[in-house]
Amino acid sequence: MSLNVGVIGAGAMGTAISQCIAPNTNKLLLYARRKEICDDINEGHINCEYHPSVKLHENIRAVNDLCDLKDVDVIFLCIPSSVMRQTMVQLNEIVSDKCIFVSTAKGIENKTNKRMSEVIKEETGRSAVVLSGPNIASEMMKNLPSATTIASIKKKDLEIVKSVLSTSKLKVNTNHDVIGTEFCGIIKNILAISQGICKGMGINDNAKFAVFTKSYNETKCIIEKLGGNRSTVDDYCGFGDIITASTLNVSRNHTLGIWYGQGVYLDEQTGVLFEGKNTAIVLKEICDKLNIECLTVNFVYDVIILKKSPKKAFYALWEKL
Ligand SMILES: NC(=O)c1ccc[n+]([C@@H]2O[C@H](COP(=O)([O-])OP(=O)(O)OC[C@H]3O[C@@H](n4cnc5c(N)ncnc54)[C@H](O)[C@@H]3O)[C@@H](O)[C@H]2O)c1
């Protein structure tokens, strides 16, 4: 049975997910906040700003009014975590009770430190499906093979969302560990920054990957303490995404770490900087509150937030390895 699917956020990820799943859907409505992107997609079948060289699948129609999503069965939320709450307030008034929300946002709410599925539950009363994995948008856009993890406490929702996502090119694993899956996507930002700092400082590979091993095991400990499963970290949402974000220069957080490792401090207002900074502050708060000793979080916090010398911070970490 082909479903009607909505995607909110016509940026890199929203457009790429739309392109991947469009053949599986009856109708795919891609909500673009900006009218000019909406017009580009409908008139030229191209998202000129984010993926200018790829023709969009014929099933994709862009819309500029959230009310157009009132009849869809599933909605993928591909927006920054900072706007999730306000978007859910609006959507709750529009969609049917049966509509399933899928959060792809890898972030935590500023000030409340809540996961996206918690924000969605608070505003709509529904349990969301969360999606996380090593999913580089430009590769998905070209229909290159990828894999991802989806998690939900509801078996039926997982089945439906899996059927919408799965293609010969996109492999989907499912689990019921929403906390672990969401936290993998959050903590991996810290690992990506940490490995970036090491790279920027010119730390040798043996030492860099020793730190990486420690960081990976710390991720399991944090997730377990927060109520998730250690084994979730071994899935695409964990291992796959952590490796991708910590070793490839396409990762914004990795690049941020490289700059800091080289002693380049960015303008405080830079959006890229803010994302990594926010994650470091939130995770430091969480670890301190729960009495979790995490060397990787401390290392990143010391360099990015306290602006300590990367060399001193690295040797403090190394001593405790
Ligand atoms: N799950 C995954 O594997 C995965 C992979 C990449 C990105 N993501 C997530 O997808 C989200 C988007 O990332 P991206 O790389 O596409 O970023 P992006 O900056 O390319 O796109 C974000 C889009 O959201 C739009 N937007 C901002 N505020 C909005 C609002 N209030 N309503 C509607 N649209 C709004 C922007 O105009 C932009 O088009 C992020 O939360 C990111 O963590 C997830």
Side-chain angles (χ1 to χ4, degrees):
M1 180 186 55
S2 271
L3 298 174
N4 294 330
V5 172
V7 175
I8 300 188
M13 185 60 179
T15 310
I17 278 225
S18 303
Q19 182 79 342
C20 281
I21 65 178
N24 283 351
T25 64
N26 179 43
K27 181 166 69 176
L28 193 140
L29 299 177
L30 172 58
Y31 170 82
R33 195 177 39 151
R34 281 175 288 159
K35 176 93 172 58
E36 61 273 21
I37 296 210
C38 185
D39 292 343
D40 267 354
I41 293 173
N42 288 337
E43 285 159 23
H45 264 272
I46 295 264
N47 184 337
C48 296
E49 190 162 327
Y50 292 95
H51 299 286
S53 56
V54 186
K55 193 95 179 152
L56 291 166
H57 190 277
E58 59 199 15
N59 272 4
I60 299 175
R61 188 165 75 80
V63 295
N64 184 231
D65 183 346
L66 282 178
C67 291
D68 289 330
L69 302 180
K70 69 179 185 334
D71 294 324
V72 298
D73 305 293
V74 179
I75 293 183
F76 288 85
L77 299 151
C78 302
I79 47 178
S81 47
S82 54
V83 299
M84 187 64 83
R85 191 176 289 278
Q86 71 192 58
T87 305
M88 296 323 295
V89 169
Q90 287 174 276
L91 276 180
N92 197 33
E93 300 292 315
I94 295 169
V95 299
S96 85
D97 289 347
K98 291 200 182 112
C99 179
I100 301 170
F101 294 124
V102 185
S103 167
T104 74
K106 291 175 182 168
I108 200 152
E109 193 176 47
N110 208 2
K111 296 204 175 86
T112 68
N113 294 357
K114 290 196 168 146
R115 290 174 286 113
M116 290 301 106
S117 66
E118 293 179 296
V119 171
I120 294 169
K121 180 89 181 175
E122 278 181 8
E123 297 304 335
T124 68
R126 302 176 204 204
S127 305
V129 175
V130 301
L131 178 152
S132 199
N135 304 139
I136 299 168
S138 57
E139 292 196 0
M140 294 174 79
M141 196 66 196
K142 290 184 206 141
N143 207 15
L144 293 169
S146 301
T148 199
T149 303
I150 54 172
S152 169
I153 54 167
K154 292 186 170 174
K155 190 165 172 270
K156 186 79 196 152
D157 287 2
L158 280 178
E159 280 167 14
I160 293 170
V161 175
K162 183 171 179 170
S163 75
V164 171
L165 282 167
S166 299
T167 66
S168 62
K169 297 290 172 56
L170 184 58
K171 300 288 175 199
V172 182
N173 275 357
T174 60
N175 72 55
H176 296 297
D177 181 17
V178 176
I179 296 177
T181 302
E182 279 186 307
F183 265 110
C184 278
I186 296 162
I187 299 172
K188 72 103 203 256
N189 290 328
I190 295 298
L191 272 66
I193 297 173
S194 158
Q195 285 294 300
I197 297 171
C198 292
K199 194 190 261 183
M201 290 168 67
I203 297 293
N204 63 302
D205 288 337
N206 289 349
K208 195 170 64 188
F209 292 121
V211 169
F212 197 30
T213 307
K214 178 76 178 168
S215 303
Y216 188 72
N217 284 303
E218 286 183 333
T219 303
K220 293 192 162 193
C221 293
I222 295 183
I223 282 182
E224 193 173 40
K225 281 244 181 181
L226 292 169
N229 300 332
R230 293 176 77 88
S231 59
T232 300
V233 185
D234 297 325
D235 199 8
Y236 302 128
C237 61
F239 184 80
D241 203 14
I242 287 169
I243 285 278
T244 307
S246 301
T247 58
L248 304 182
N249 289 344
V250 289
S251 157
R252 284 180 260 191
N253 285 299
H254 188 59
T255 305
L256 169 75
I258 292 175
W259 284 328
Y260 270 76
Q262 291 171 343
V264 178
Y265 298 118
L266 300 174
D267 170 18
E268 299 287 314
Q269 301 306 317
T270 309
V272 174
L273 174 64
F274 183 77
E275 186 200 0
K277 248 183 133 168
N278 186 39
T279 312
I281 293 168
V282 168
L283 275 177
K284 174 77 177 151
E285 262 174 39
I286 290 174
C287 288
D288 286 351
K289 197 168 148 205
L290 296 176
N291 229 348
I292 304 170
E293 215 221 343
C294 182
L295 300 182
T296 316
V297 170
N298 290 342
F299 173 55
V300 169
Y301 188 85
D302 285 351
V303 175
I304 305 282
I305 309 299
L306 302 183
K307 299 211 172 74
K308 284 192 185 164
S309 134
K311 201 169 167 187
K312 278 192 185 150
F314 179 81
Y315 286 109
L317 160 71
W318 186 255
E319 282 303 306
K320 291 187 179 165
L321 214 62

